[in-house]
Amino acid sequence: MSVVRAFIAVDIPPDLQARLVKLAEDLHAQMGDVPVRWVPAENMHLTLKFLGDVSLANLDLLTDIIRAEAAERDEMVISLGGVGAFPHPRRPRVIWAGVEAPSELEVLQRCIERETARIGYPTEERPFSPHITLGRVSRGAAPAEVRAVGNALLASKVGFLGVARLTEVHLYRSDLQRGGAVYTRMFSAPLGG
Ligand code: 2AM
């Protein structure tokens, strides 16, 4: 295989993943039986750059970028809290937990964006909005179901969820399988070198 679907992300620890799954289960209970694809704990991460199809011939260039950009920054701590939806809670497609991050994370993301654009990966037009995806509302959801999702999110009183120390930046491959996406780490680089 000469091409893989790939993205660059940072991880959150398993205890926080478990807390987010519990939160997703609570939201699910409030929404009722709506067609949402909930993200399993092991797939929860903070995406810095979705690359799409990556030629294996480009892997060395990408790992060089990740290693160099990660080395430029120190480890950082992010804080998770609150829930919301893209594009808007009244029109929810992606259900997320919020992330508060130091400005260094945005700098890291911007530099990765710039360097990957330099080698030909399409630039993300949307502003960086750090989040952890909890679930995705199916395209076929009925308007009443979409409203139920939005109402549950707007009524939610979720506050602080926890903190995560970011120590590494990862390149993941994503294999779309019948049971959902399977993410596999291909390369990791430490923050701070
Ligand atoms: P997310 O950051 O909102 O969760 C792997 O698919 C990861 O890349 C997911 O976490 C996903 O969204 C993110 N991603 C960003 N843009 C994407 C796109 N156009 N297609 C698929 N995934 C994308």
Side-chain angles (χ1 to χ4, degrees):
M1 186 198 297
S2 58
V3 164
V4 292
R5 185 180 160 89
F7 62 96
I8 299 169
V10 290
D11 280 355
I12 55 169
D15 63 321
L16 206 41
Q17 288 176 323
R19 214 168 303 158
L20 294 180
V21 166
K22 173 77 178 55
L23 166 62
E25 285 169 358
D26 291 346
L27 289 170
H28 187 176
Q30 282 153 35
M31 290 168 188
D33 216 4
V34 291
V36 172
R37 285 169 284 120
W38 296 99
V39 176
E42 68 274 14
N43 280 6
M44 288 175 175
H45 55 258
L46 197 169
T47 304
L48 297 177
K49 172 71 185 167
F50 179 74
L51 297 161
D53 284 343
V54 165
S55 153
L56 293 183
N58 256 357
L59 273 188
D60 283 349
L61 285 174
L62 281 169
T63 58
D64 284 349
I65 289 172
I66 295 168
R67 190 185 295 107
E69 295 302 333
E72 287 278 308
R73 273 105 214 159
D74 290 327
E75 292 187 2
M76 46 190 116
V77 174
I78 60 170
S79 168
L80 271 62
V83 290
F86 294 138
H88 188 275
R90 289 269 170 234
R91 280 178 294 124
R93 283 281 156 222
V94 171
I95 303 167
W96 46 254
V99 171
E100 261 185 46
S103 55
E104 287 82 3
L105 185 72
E106 199 175 333
V107 175
L108 172 64
Q109 187 274 339
R110 205 178 326 122
C111 291
I112 289 176
E113 187 74 56
R114 187 190 61 211
E115 294 304 311
T116 53
R118 230 194 267 277
I119 59 168
Y121 292 95
T123 304
E124 174 61 68
E125 299 300 336
R126 293 169 293 195
F128 180 50
S129 182
H131 65 277
I132 312 282
T133 299
L134 302 177
R136 297 178 175 88
V137 181
S138 302
R139 291 248 166 241
E145 293 172 325
V146 175
R147 265 199 307 278
V149 172
N151 288 341
L153 294 173
L154 290 167
S156 159
K157 302 244 184 323
V158 177
F160 175 70
L161 290 162
V163 296
R165 172 171 281 275
L166 309 182
T167 59
E168 288 181 300
V169 181
H170 308 283
L171 176 66
Y172 276 97
R173 67 181 283 173
S174 166
D175 293 292
L176 301 177
Q177 299 187 353
R178 205 185 287 260
V182 175
Y183 301 147
T184 312
R185 274 187 207 162
M186 302 178 79
F187 175 77
S188 303
L191 283 164

